[in-house]
Amino acid sequence: MTLNTPSTILKDTGRVVDIHTHVYVPSYLQLLRERLQVPRILPPLDPDDEASLERLVILPGEDNDVTTANGRPVTNGFSDVGEKLRFMDQHGIDISVISLANPWLDFLPDTEATYTTARNINCEIQLMCDQSPERLYSFGVLPLVNIQASIKEVENISRLGSMRGVIMGTHGCEGRGLDDPALVPLFQAIADNNQIIFLHPHYGIPINSGSALDTSGNEKGHALQLALGFPMETTIAVTRLVLSGIFDKVPHLKLMLAHSGGTLPFLAGRIDSCVAHDGTIADSLQHPPSWYLKKMYYDAVIYHDVGILATARFVDPKHIMFGTDHPFFPPPGDDTAKPKRWLSVDSNLEALDHAALDHETKRGILGENACRLLNL
Ligand code: 5CU
């Protein structure tokens, strides 16, 4: 597909695939509407104005922050397949691999109802993909509060034709992290079922002193958590996972990391060095940490040519794949003033362009790598 864009990057590229694109299925939106705590959906700010939308408040502490307590407007783009396809057409995207947006189900109790919620969400995602089976594929979601139930859900996901793996947060089971030894059988089941884990942050890391205002009295909103907390959360969770030795136990486990792996391509050398100087950890691994990190897959949602280049120098560029993060980061402003193309998408395309990678490498990142890896 080619389109009229200031960037020339989408010319002669073959299929363009978006591997980082989210949905909130209707049953999940309903679950969030019924909650009294974050994550939750709040009613429209002005109930008398038909144009006023419900608001999604999901990040920890977001409800206490003066700039973000009103959340994000819940637009059609959150759950409507027609809207997803329209967005894809507007941006020259041929195929999307959709996944439930954060947070996943780790805030729910360990009950049968939670396992059923995961099952229903996966069925709903499959039904969405069935509306355009050539263009929509997906990652499923697990009831991670219970490992046996998650293993069963991995097997169910294998029977859903559009699904290629699972999206997973960094908290693991009951907040014990991904290096929790209890997760090993789940990772084994995911690898045995030839699925990939799309690892995505949600919780961020402590950044603010608790105040929504900086020392000059300026409001910070959640930009710091999204810009820095998310990538650091991924960096820490994946490093812990590597140091747990999971990839020696389950060598075929495949991971795709959101936001180009946080800071991992940049910090891999330092991680190797620190581990090499710590005999107890170094001796527990068959290889240096970067060896395992190079086996992983990375999205190209980094908005910067330097970030793309660092990732492409660190891993085989065949391990890098384009994404948009739709429906997050819509163009700011009211609907009438909004441009058709999203800055968040174009900045990632331009980053790829400016990285001056050769044509075959770009073509791979834009779609062919995902088609090969996920059998699209
Ligand atoms: O804008 C946001 O809050 C987010 C989010 O929550 N998750 C995500 O993947 N991107 C942006």
Side-chain angles (χ1 to χ4, degrees), residues 20 22 58-59 72 102 200 222 226 230 259 325 328-329:
H20 188 154
H22 300 297
I58 44 176
L59 302 183
R72 308 143 192 77
N102 53 305
H200 195 296
H222 58 231
L226 293 176
F230 269 33
H259 316 126
D325 211 0
F328 293 112
F329 304 121

Side-chain angles (χ1 to χ4, degrees), residues 159-193:
R159 289 187 285 271
L160 298 176
S162 74
M163 296 214 164
R164 295 297 187 267
V166 294
I167 186 161
M168 195 180 278
T170 63
H171 253 202
C173 190
E174 295 176 336
R176 289 193 297 271
L178 298 179
D179 49 358
D180 175 6
L183 287 175
V184 174
L186 173 62
F187 289 140
Q188 186 71 58
I190 291 170
D192 290 349
N193 280 276

Side-chain angles (χ1 to χ4, degrees), residues 18-172:
D18 181 356
I19 48 81
H20 188 154
T21 176
H22 300 297
V23 289
Y24 285 95
V25 296
S27 68
Y28 192 51
L29 289 175
Q30 190 51 32
L31 185 153
L32 295 177
R33 276 184 197 110
E34 287 163 12
R35 285 175 55 81
L36 300 176
Q37 293 158 305
V38 173
R40 64 186 302 203
I41 286 181
L42 296 171
L45 278 176
D46 180 356
D48 297 327
D49 176 3
E50 273 183 23
S52 182
L53 297 171
E54 291 180 310
R55 293 154 305 119
L56 179 74
V57 183
I58 44 176
L59 302 183
E62 195 176 344
D63 51 342
N64 296 324
D65 185 320
V66 291
T67 64
T68 57
N70 288 334
R72 308 143 192 77
V74 179
T75 60
N76 279 350
F78 279 52
S79 57
D80 185 76
V81 177
E83 201 50 47
K84 182 70 81 186
L85 292 168
R86 239 184 318 282
F87 168 82
M88 290 163 64
D89 290 341
Q90 276 169 357
H91 294 89
I93 296 163
D94 297 286
I95 296 175
S96 284
V97 187
I98 60 177
S99 50
L100 191 72
N102 53 305
W104 300 281
L105 305 179
D106 43 12
F107 58 91
L108 294 175
D110 182 2
T111 61
E112 281 291 335
T114 298
Y115 319 155
T116 307
T117 298
R119 176 71 49 97
N120 290 343
I121 289 173
N122 290 330
C123 291
E124 277 175 271
I125 292 178
Q126 178 61 46
L127 287 174
M128 281 184 167
C129 294
D130 288 345
Q131 293 184 46
S132 187
E134 308 282 301
R135 299 191 69 191
L136 297 177
Y137 293 83
S138 58
F139 297 117
V141 68
L142 302 177
L144 252 195
V145 283
N146 186 292
I147 290 163
Q148 282 314 312
S150 292
I151 292 175
K152 271 199 200 144
E153 200 47 40
V154 165
E155 287 158 8
N156 178 52
I157 284 169
S158 273
R159 289 187 285 271
L160 298 176
S162 74
M163 296 214 164
R164 295 297 187 267
V166 294
I167 186 161
M168 195 180 278
T170 63
H171 253 202

Side-chain angles (χ1 to χ4, degrees), residues 242-243 248 268-269 271-273 275-276 281-282 285-295 314:
V242 166
L243 298 191
D248 293 329
I271 298 169
D272 276 359
S273 175
V275 167
I281 309 176
L285 295 174
Q286 288 174 16
H287 305 278
S290 62
W291 189 90
Y292 305 97
L293 295 173
K294 284 174 195 279
K295 294 209 159 286
F314 176 62

